[in-house]
Structures are given as structure tokens and as C-alpha cells.
Amino acid sequence: MDKNRINRLLPIAVEVIKKELSEPIPNEFRGYIASFGAAVTMGSLPAAVAYYSAASKNAKEDRTKLPVMILEVLKKENTATKETTLFEYVTSFKNDNESFAIKEDVLHAAIAIKLGLNLFEIESKDQKVKEDEKNGG
């Protein structure tokens, strides 16, 4: 993990969070970003990205925003990035060294997003319960 790179990505991540999410940030989204790193470590990067890229009827919040945000952070850092989805980006490697570098890129961007979320209001469980009750759910 390159702390200096994460520090450089942090302002980009905050800009992307502001663009993609609205406050209060759903508590579930914080869970998605927290479990993304574990999914990469325990499984594989392409499998984790595929999982988060697929919409789910059972998910309380849209988890597909996470790979979009990660790719956007990477594109803002490196304007030469041409892939249109994070899955394309993570499967574009040609050898093991490039595969390792891509994995590091994605994890650094995910960590920057996770740290950037600390600047935003996160929806509390009480807020969610009240909102659900108000909406008849």
C-alpha cells in the first residue's frame, strides 16, 4: 500500500463522491466499500468487480456505483485510461506484473474512496428506520 498515492487520490475521491452520491450517504454503501477489499483479498479482483458491477434486487442500495466510482478516480488520476468499465480495466492486463499493478491501482482508489467518505454525513440506522416508516415500509 502506497500511502502517498492514496493521499494524492483522496481529493479526487472526494470529488467523485460528491458527484455520485448525495448526503446523507447510505450506511449500506459504507459496508460495500468496506467489504470490497476483503472480496478482492479472499477471492480475485475480476470476481469482486463482477459481483459489485451486477445489480441486485436484494441490495438495499445500488452497489454498482462503487465500481463506477473507482474507475472514475483512476481515470481522473491517469487520463490515458480508456476502458469504459472497471471490469474491462481489471481484465486488460497482459502479464503478472501488470496484473499486480492493476490490483494495486484499484485497491488504492477504493481506499481513497473509503477515507473520503469520512468527510460526509453517513445515514444513521435511526434515520433509515424513520424514512422507511414514513414511506410505508
Side-chain angles (χ1 to χ4, degrees):
M1 177 173 55
D2 182 352
K3 291 179 184 177
N4 290 327
R5 181 162 184 222
I6 293 169
N7 286 337
R8 287 192 312 272
L9 291 174
L10 190 54
I12 299 170
V14 169
E15 182 182 319
V16 169
I17 293 167
K18 284 180 184 175
K19 179 183 166 203
E20 295 291 331
L21 301 173
S22 57
E23 288 189 84
I25 306 293
N27 196 36
E28 290 83 6
F29 192 81
R30 189 164 202 141
Y32 295 152
I33 190 70
S35 62
F36 179 77
V40 171
T41 304
M42 299 303 289
S44 72
L45 181 59
V49 170
Y51 175 78
Y52 284 90
S53 297
S56 171
K57 294 177 187 172
N58 298 331
K60 291 182 181 179
E61 291 298 326
D62 185 7
R63 68 178 180 220
T64 63
K65 289 182 180 181
L66 180 57
V68 170
M69 293 170 66
I70 291 171
L71 183 63
E72 194 167 337
V73 169
L74 294 172
K75 281 184 165 186
K76 286 180 183 275
E77 181 200 28
N78 179 1
T79 55
T81 303
K82 301 296 181 214
E83 290 80 10
T84 57
T85 67
L86 188 59
F87 188 76
E88 287 176 12
Y89 181 81
V90 302
T91 56
S92 66
F93 60 87
K94 296 168 184 66
N95 57 50
D96 287 345
N97 288 339
E98 199 170 316
S99 172
F100 179 79
I102 287 173
K103 183 176 181 178
E104 289 290 304
D105 288 348
V106 170
L107 288 175
H108 288 144
I111 291 167
I113 291 169
K114 183 176 180 178
L115 294 173
L117 286 174
N118 291 325
L119 295 172
F120 297 88
E121 179 186 353
I122 303 294
E123 185 175 59
S124 70
K125 291 183 182 195
D126 292 339
Q127 284 175 312
K128 188 71 169 176
V129 169
K130 287 178 186 173
E131 186 176 306
D132 286 347
E133 288 173 354
K134 190 169 109 180
N135 294 331

